Amino acid sequence: SQKIEQNSEALNIQEGKTATLTCNYTNYSPAYLQWYRQDPGRGPVFLLLIRENEKEKRKERLKVTFDTTLKQSLFHITASQPADSATYLCARVNNAGNMLTFGGGTRLMVKP
Amino acid sequence: DGGITQSPKYLFRKEGQNVTLSCEQNLNHDAMYWYRQDPGQGLRLIYYSQIVNDFQKGDIAEGYSVSREKKESFPLTVTSAQKNPTAFYLCASVRDTSNQPQHFGDGTRLSIL
């Protein structure tokens, strides 16, 4: 089965620092990886999608990388703010493009 | 505004009872999904539907049933056969199935009385 794993321990950082979250996958590289943000008691909200042939994708203070050699995606938030505190989920897209497999999510806490 | 509406926000089930969770979308999306989320865990796929009157089982379909009679609606029934139904249930939709991001509702929290 195609697994996708995220660090289950919460990440605590100071405001203004860069947060880096890790997503590792097994077996073959997915054609796409997606990243979502989830606040407590709410549904996930889509943030970024990165394709297998893209090394890096940016959106404002967010950056995602995709390393098919390491079978890993990194999600960075630069100049982090307390409002960035949430759980971040990565998901791999299946070959047919119609299903997502989610990692367990990593909770980020940004302290002022 | 377009979006996905899940209701109720909170639901309680008695032993031996079936309960139905509602999911409605006005985004004109073709595909809809139901996920279950347990505390501190990721989302697990229960059922999905790519077109009206058709749906497929996900990874954890046992004890659940769905219908897709209208494009806008994809209700989930948690049957009495589901012995551990306490969880946060999330519904999602996507325009089509070509790697598009999914749009989620705000979930229904189901608990056992």
Side-chain angles (χ1 to χ4, degrees):
Chain A
S1 63
Q2 309 305 323
K3 291 188 178 179
I4 190 156
E5 296 176 344
Q6 298 181 254
N7 191 344
S8 59
E9 292 185 15
L11 178 62
N12 295 294
I13 65 167
Q14 203 67 34
E15 182 176 9
K17 300 293 186 183
T18 296
T20 298
L21 287 70
T22 303
C23 176
N24 295 297
Y25 60 88
T26 61
N27 298 326
Y28 64 85
S29 289
Y32 300 83
L33 281 170
Q34 297 182 6
W35 283 87
Y36 291 78
R37 169 184 172 141
Q38 186 177 22
D39 290 288
R42 305 294 299 272
V45 174
F46 171 76
L47 296 174
L48 281 169
L49 176 151
I50 186 165
R51 293 176 173 77
E52 183 182 15
N53 60 359
E54 294 177 318
K55 296 298 183 187
E56 181 179 296
K57 197 84 168 277
R58 290 177 184 262
K59 179 182 176 182
E60 299 173 351
R61 294 185 295 111
L62 309 181
K63 184 178 82 172
V64 175
T65 63
F66 195 163
D67 188 327
T68 56
T69 301
L70 295 178
K71 295 190 176 182
Q72 181 179 83
S73 175
L74 298 179
F75 178 83
H76 306 271
I77 305 176
T78 58
S80 59
Q81 305 165 2
D84 295 327
S85 298
T87 295
Y88 292 86
L89 301 163
C90 71
R92 64 182 295 162
V93 183
N94 69 340
N95 285 342
N98 63 353
M99 284 204 296
L100 296 178
T101 300
F102 283 86
T106 298
R107 186 178 175 204
L108 173 65
M109 297 286 292
V110 181
K111 299 187 186 297
Chain B
D1 286 341
I4 298 181
T5 302
Q6 291 188 240
S7 62
K9 182 74 173 172
Y10 300 94
L11 187 59
F12 297 91
R13 196 191 89 168
K14 295 180 181 179
E15 292 288 338
Q17 186 182 44
N18 293 353
V19 292
T20 297
L21 285 61
S22 170
C23 177
E24 303 279 333
Q25 55 99 358
N26 61 3
L27 298 165
N28 198 32
H29 283 176
D30 291 326
M32 297 186 74
Y33 302 79
W34 274 106
Y35 295 92
R36 169 181 173 139
Q37 187 175 33
D38 292 284
Q41 297 189 30
L43 283 63
R44 292 185 290 168
L45 182 64
I46 304 173
Y47 269 98
Y48 68 102
S49 168
Q50 298 184 110
I51 56 172
V52 174
N53 292 322
D54 187 51
F55 48 83
Q56 284 77 41
K57 294 181 179 179
D59 299 322
I60 55 167
E62 185 174 351
Y64 301 97
S65 66
V66 293
S67 63
R68 186 89 187 275
E69 297 176 1
K70 298 187 301 182
K71 187 175 185 177
E72 304 79 25
S73 179
F74 191 39
L76 173 74
T77 297
V78 184
T79 74
S80 57
Q82 173 48 248
K83 298 305 180 188
N84 184 23
T86 298
F88 189 48
Y89 290 87
L90 287 158
C91 178
S93 72
V94 66
R95 187 182 69 198
D96 53 42
T97 55
S98 57
N99 303 302
Q100 296 296 313
Q102 294 188 3
H103 298 251
F104 284 84
D106 274 339
T108 293
R109 190 167 299 280
L110 176 62
S111 302
I112 296 298
L113 281 176

